[in-house]
Amino acid sequence: RHRNSNLGLYQIRTGGTDFSNKEDFTAARVKQNILSESSIGLIYTRRATLDDDFFNNRHTVGADLELNTSRFMGNKSLQFQAFFIWNNMHTPDENTSFWDRTSRGIRLAFPNYPFFAHASYREFGEAFNPAVGFAPRVGIRRFQPTIGYQQMLPGNSILRSWEGEIRFEYLTDMEFNPETVNLIFTPLNILFESGDRIKGGFGYNYEDLILDFDILRDGSLIIPADIYHSWHYSLEIMTARFRKLAGAAGLRREGFWTGQRTVYDLTLTARPFPGVNLSGDWSRSDAKLAEGSFQTDLIRFTGKVDLTPSTAFTNIIQFDNLSNILGLFNSFRWTIRPGADIYLVYIYNWIQIDEIFNPIETQGAIKMDITYRF
C-alpha cells in the first residue's frame, strides 16, 4: 500500500535594532497518511534570541490525528479530528502548570448530502502562548455544533440549490461559567442557475463582559462590565464570480453592547483581461452607543496579475481610519515546478498624522516552498 508523507520546514532570522535583539523563528511540520483515508501529524515551533541557549528558547510541540471514512452507513462520509499542543515556560520564574500551557480539542463531522453536521470541543489553557503565532483568547472552553440541510433543485430553471443552517457556540471560562453564547440561524442561502447567490439570517448573542472595555483603545469610549443580550440580522447578495464585472453587497444590523451597530460591506471585482483580477473592498461600521458614537471605514484595493502560467504578481493597498495606517503589500511568485515556489515579498506601511502619511515600517523577504513526497 502506497503511503505519502509531507514534510515542511521554515527557518527565519530577523535583524536586530536598538530596541530589539536578533531572533530565530523555526517551524517544522510532518504529516503521514495512515490507513486508506486518514493521517497523523506533528508540529514543532521555536522562537529564540541569539543570546539564549536552546533550553531557554520558546518551544511549542503539537500532534494531530484525522480519521476519515467514506463508507459510514454504506456510502456516507464521517470525519474525526483531534489535536494537542503544548508550549514550555517562557521565563525561569514562570509558575504555570502543564495543562495551563496546553490547547486541545476534538471535532466530529458528517459532511454529506442533503444533511450535514459537525461538532467541536476545544480548550485553551490560561497560560497557553505558542512560540510562533498567537492565540486570540485563552482560559476558555468552547463547544460549537452546526447542523444544516441542502436541497438541489434540478427541475428548476431559475434556482439551483437552497441551503439552511443552524450554528451554536457556547464559550465558557475554565470553571464552565458562560462568557459568550451565539445562536445563528441562516434559513436563506439560495444559489441561482446564473451563479448568483442571496444569503440572509438572524441570531442571538450573550456576552458576560467581566472587565470594562476600552473599545477604541484611546480612553474615549469605555463599555462598562455587565451582561449583554442582543439580536442581529444580516443580508448578503453576491453575483457569480466568473463574470468580468462581479460584486457583493452586505448589510448587518445588530445590538452592540449598550447600543446598536450597522455594518455595510461592498466588493467590486473586474477581470478586464485573462489573468488580470482587480478588486476593491469597502466596509463601514456605524455604531451608536449610550457612551457615544463612532464610525470606522476599511478600504482595500487588490490587483492580481498572472504574467505566465508559472509567475504571478499580487499588490494590496489597505487603509482604515481607526489605526490610520496605510499598508502596501507586494508579492511576486515564481513556480519552478509543481510543489516548488519562490516568493519575493515587499511591505511598506505609513501612519497618518495631521493629514500627512509618515513611513513607519519597511520589510523585504525571500521565501522558498518545496514539497517533497516520500
Side-chain angles (χ1 to χ4, degrees):
R1 177 178 297 175
H2 180 67
R3 296 179 179 178
N4 288 329
S5 298
N6 293 319
L7 177 65
L9 175 66
Y10 281 104
Q11 171 60 42
I12 301 172
R13 174 168 293 182
T14 64
T17 68
D18 294 337
F19 308 99
S20 61
N21 296 323
K22 296 180 180 179
E23 285 191 296
D24 272 350
F25 293 84
T26 305
R29 165 75 169 164
V30 60
K31 184 178 179 180
Q32 172 68 55
N33 293 339
I34 60 175
L35 304 176
S36 59
E37 303 176 64
S38 304
S39 64
I40 188 170
L42 298 172
I43 190 170
Y44 166 75
T45 64
R46 165 182 170 264
R47 180 177 180 178
T49 59
L50 300 186
D51 296 332
D52 290 337
D53 61 55
F54 181 82
F55 294 101
N56 288 328
N57 298 166
R58 295 174 57 180
H59 304 281
T60 303
V61 180
D64 58 273
L65 172 69
E66 183 170 339
L67 302 176
N68 299 323
T69 179
S70 56
R71 297 182 296 273
F72 180 69
M73 298 174 59
N75 61 350
K76 301 295 184 182
S77 295
L78 187 67
Q79 302 171 345
F80 173 80
Q81 297 170 321
F83 74 91
F84 186 89
I85 305 174
W86 166 87
N87 64 259
N88 68 333
M89 291 186 291
H90 297 159
T91 59
D93 58 346
E94 182 179 342
N95 185 21
T96 58
S97 70
F98 175 89
W99 289 105
D100 286 341
R101 290 180 274 109
T102 65
S103 172
R104 54 271 180 190
I106 58 174
R107 185 177 188 268
L108 185 65
F110 183 76
N112 295 284
Y113 173 85
F115 290 99
F116 60 90
H118 65 80
S120 63
Y121 177 78
R122 297 180 178 182
E123 297 180 350
F124 296 85
E126 295 181 352
F128 179 66
N129 188 4
V132 178
F134 63 94
R137 193 167 180 176
V138 297
I140 60 169
R141 306 176 190 266
R142 177 180 178 268
F143 175 59
Q144 198 277 293
T146 296
I147 186 170
Y149 177 84
Q150 184 182 42
Q151 179 64 55
M152 304 300 294
L153 306 170
N156 196 308
S157 61
I158 299 176
L159 305 179
R160 182 181 303 175
S161 67
W162 166 83
E163 182 178 310
E165 182 181 280
I166 300 175
R167 182 178 185 271
F168 179 67
E169 181 183 38
Y170 190 76
L171 193 150
T172 75
D173 61 18
M174 300 307 288
E175 283 70 45
F176 297 98
N177 299 307
E179 293 187 352
T180 299
V181 180
N182 286 306
L183 182 59
I184 302 172
F185 299 89
T186 309
L188 179 66
N189 190 350
I190 296 176
L191 178 63
F192 295 87
E193 279 294 334
S194 62
D196 305 320
R197 184 185 295 272
I198 182 170
K199 185 176 181 180
F202 62 96
Y204 165 80
N205 170 256
Y206 165 95
E207 287 285 350
D208 184 3
L209 188 63
I210 60 177
L211 297 173
D212 291 348
F213 178 30
D214 183 2
I215 192 169
L216 296 180
R217 301 181 182 179
D218 60 4
S220 61
L221 290 177
I222 305 297
I223 307 300
D226 203 346
I227 293 178
Y228 296 89
H229 305 264
S230 64
W231 287 87
H232 64 80
Y233 312 88
S234 63
L235 181 66
E236 186 176 7
I237 301 173
M238 297 158 280
T239 65
R241 295 184 178 180
F242 64 81
R243 303 181 190 276
K244 284 193 173 183
L245 188 63
L251 176 66
R252 180 183 174 95
R253 176 76 171 176
E254 62 186 358
F256 190 65
W257 304 115
T258 61
Q260 298 285 329
R261 180 172 70 165
T262 305
V263 180
Y264 310 89
D265 292 301
L266 186 64
T267 299
L268 186 64
T269 301
R271 299 176 177 87
F273 308 104
V276 177
N277 292 266
L278 307 174
S279 65
D281 299 271
W282 171 67
S283 179
R284 166 167 288 182
S285 177
D286 190 0
K288 302 183 185 301
L289 308 177
E291 296 77 17
S293 301
F294 65 93
Q295 190 177 81
T296 63
D297 289 285
L298 173 65
I299 302 172
R300 181 188 302 115
F301 296 98
T302 304
K304 297 181 179 180
V305 179
D306 295 324
L307 303 174
T308 69
S310 60
T311 58
F313 178 76
T314 300
N315 177 272
I316 300 175
I317 301 174
Q318 178 175 299
F319 175 78
D320 73 271
N321 67 339
L322 190 60
S323 67
N324 288 326
I325 291 179
L326 174 67
L328 171 66
F329 171 88
N330 288 303
S331 173
F332 175 78
R333 175 187 56 81
W334 175 30
T335 300
I336 304 173
R337 60 174 174 78
D341 299 278
I342 293 178
Y343 295 86
L344 304 178
V345 179
Y346 177 73
I347 299 173
Y348 205 126
N349 291 326
W350 299 263
I351 187 169
Q352 185 182 31
I353 301 176
D354 297 328
E355 300 184 357
I356 298 175
F357 286 96
N358 301 284
I360 56 173
E361 182 182 24
T362 303
Q363 294 185 30
I366 299 175
K367 184 176 73 171
M368 177 179 289
D369 288 342
I370 297 178
T371 301
Y372 175 69
R373 293 185 176 271
F374 58 92

